Amino acid sequence: MANDSDDYHLSRHHAASARLNLQHYLWLTTFSNHLLSPKIPVDDEQLKVADIATGTGIWLLDFARQHPRAAQLDGFDISLDQVPSTAWLPSNVSFHQYNVHEQPPNDLLERYDIIHVRHLNLIIKNDDPTAVLGHLLAMLRNTQGPVPLNESVANPGIWWASEPGGYLQWGEFDLRGFQIAKANQDTSTTHLEELRRKCQRFNTGGTASWPDRLGDVLIEAGLQDVAFEGKWLDHAYLGYHMNCTFLVFEELVERTANSGKATSEENAELWAELAKAAAETQEGATWNFRNIIAVGRKPA
């Protein structure tokens, strides 16, 4: 479960794990069910992939099912309370504890061909992801080479070059780019708007500006072939996304109550507001925000 020794503001019980797994599959609906951007090649049998902030490990296990010949698939999180039993894992999948705010240990430096990371909005400090990005890039392999530019050339010593290093894919919710969507203009949104205001008491990343400029952050860090994509949620799935959001706030309120950071009256007020906002969603009103993916390659 969540504890005060790390920066995670949500729960790690079974219901929270189920919520993360649902959130994962809803995320995929926004990006044509791609676990990785098509810009990232994944046809190497010696592929080494790391999933940072792995949570339940659902992304990594789905990737393992799609790429069973990958050499090494490692998931990292500050807590492993939500990952499956080791006995149930494919032979090329393993999970390890790691705090992304810390320098990676030496045995992880320049190790991975691909690093996938998602949903760090709640733990990025001071609206600045560059320190965490530096730790991720340290784990990506450096230049691959030399490789032949043209195998038919008589003198390969002249026509060989080095390729850039590994790929990073970072996905986030852009909670600052927020809208309220309504199935019809007569639908009330009073309590959804009030919930938005009340949620500012929590550190939910709702005022963070860095997700919207994540592509620029990768470019400034020197990555090559950077691609940035932001998509609003599909209206057909908005209600499902909002259900996940309600579960997030239930976890936040639950933790606040357990920590004594709010009075019983304040928590009762939040629970009541959640119920009223959920009723508005049932009538066809919901939040909408962008899902963002930024991809880049470590330079040669």
Side-chain angles (χ1 to χ4, degrees):
M1 63 181 63
N3 59 69
D4 292 333
S5 65
D6 63 54
D7 296 320
Y8 195 60
H9 297 270
L10 303 177
S11 300
R12 293 190 174 106
H13 49 49
H14 62 279
S17 295
R19 188 259 308 162
L20 278 176
N21 291 338
L22 173 59
Q23 194 168 289
H24 163 72
Y25 288 113
L26 288 173
W27 174 274
L28 292 182
T29 65
T30 307
F31 293 100
S32 304
N33 291 315
H34 290 144
L35 292 172
L36 284 176
S37 166
K39 298 180 182 296
I40 300 177
V42 290
D43 56 354
D44 186 351
E45 291 187 22
Q46 300 306 311
L47 201 63
K48 295 180 180 179
V49 178
D51 181 34
I52 308 299
T54 195
T56 66
I58 189 68
W59 183 92
L60 196 67
L61 289 171
D62 276 357
F63 188 88
R65 185 172 56 181
Q66 291 184 10
H67 304 280
R69 296 185 297 174
Q72 182 177 350
L73 304 176
D74 294 337
F76 295 92
D77 207 297
I78 195 170
S79 168
L80 300 182
D81 289 350
Q82 294 173 278
V83 302
S85 168
T86 302
W88 293 344
L89 299 177
S91 60
N92 58 348
V93 173
S94 61
F95 293 102
H96 314 269
Q97 281 190 291
Y98 168 61
N99 183 347
V100 76
H101 290 299
E102 298 175 355
Q103 291 284 350
N106 288 339
D107 62 327
L108 298 182
L109 297 179
E110 302 175 16
R111 187 175 186 87
Y112 295 101
D113 302 294
I114 298 170
I115 289 180
H116 171 267
V117 60
R118 190 170 60 184
H119 304 332
L120 296 189
N121 215 330
L122 286 173
I123 68 165
I124 292 296
K125 300 174 180 178
N126 303 316
D127 200 25
D128 185 2
T130 53
V132 168
L133 176 59
H135 299 159
L136 300 179
L137 295 182
M139 298 168 68
L140 272 181
R141 66 165 169 79
N142 286 330
T143 298
Q144 175 183 329
V147 295
L149 292 178
N150 188 335
E151 294 181 351
S152 66
V153 175
N155 188 348
I158 298 175
W159 294 92
W160 284 53
S162 296
E163 283 194 358
Y167 287 88
L168 171 72
Q169 176 171 303
W170 191 329
E172 287 294 340
F173 294 126
D174 178 19
L175 301 179
R176 200 180 190 192
F178 166 86
Q179 298 178 350
I180 288 184
K182 299 195 290 185
N184 62 74
Q185 293 306 307
D186 296 330
T187 304
S188 171
T189 61
T190 301
H191 298 290
L192 285 166
E193 293 168 3
E194 181 62 20
L195 183 64
R196 171 73 170 176
R197 287 189 288 271
K198 289 183 181 298
C199 81
Q200 298 306 316
R201 66 180 292 179
F202 303 110
N203 179 18
T204 58
T207 60
S209 66
W210 66 268
D212 185 49
R213 52 184 173 85
L214 189 53
D216 291 335
V217 172
L218 299 193
I219 292 172
E220 291 165 6
L223 274 73
Q224 298 180 351
D225 304 325
V226 171
F228 177 89
E229 186 175 17
K231 289 188 173 183
W232 291 95
L233 304 177
D234 188 322
H235 279 200
Y237 292 89
L238 279 178
Y240 305 139
H241 283 281
M242 196 65 215
N243 287 338
C244 276
T245 302
F246 288 138
L247 292 174
V248 167
F249 282 111
E250 287 181 4
E251 292 174 36
L252 288 167
V253 175
E254 179 184 72
R255 190 178 184 197
T256 301
N258 292 338
S259 67
K261 294 179 180 178
T263 66
S264 57
E265 291 80 7
E266 288 172 326
N267 281 307
E269 182 181 340
L270 281 168
W271 282 114
E273 203 62 55
L274 276 168
K276 293 173 183 176
E280 289 181 339
T281 293
Q282 192 66 28
E283 295 299 318
T286 180
W287 293 359
N288 194 0
F289 40 82
R290 290 193 308 161
N291 288 358
I292 282 171
I293 283 180
V295 174
R297 192 172 190 185
K298 197 171 183 179

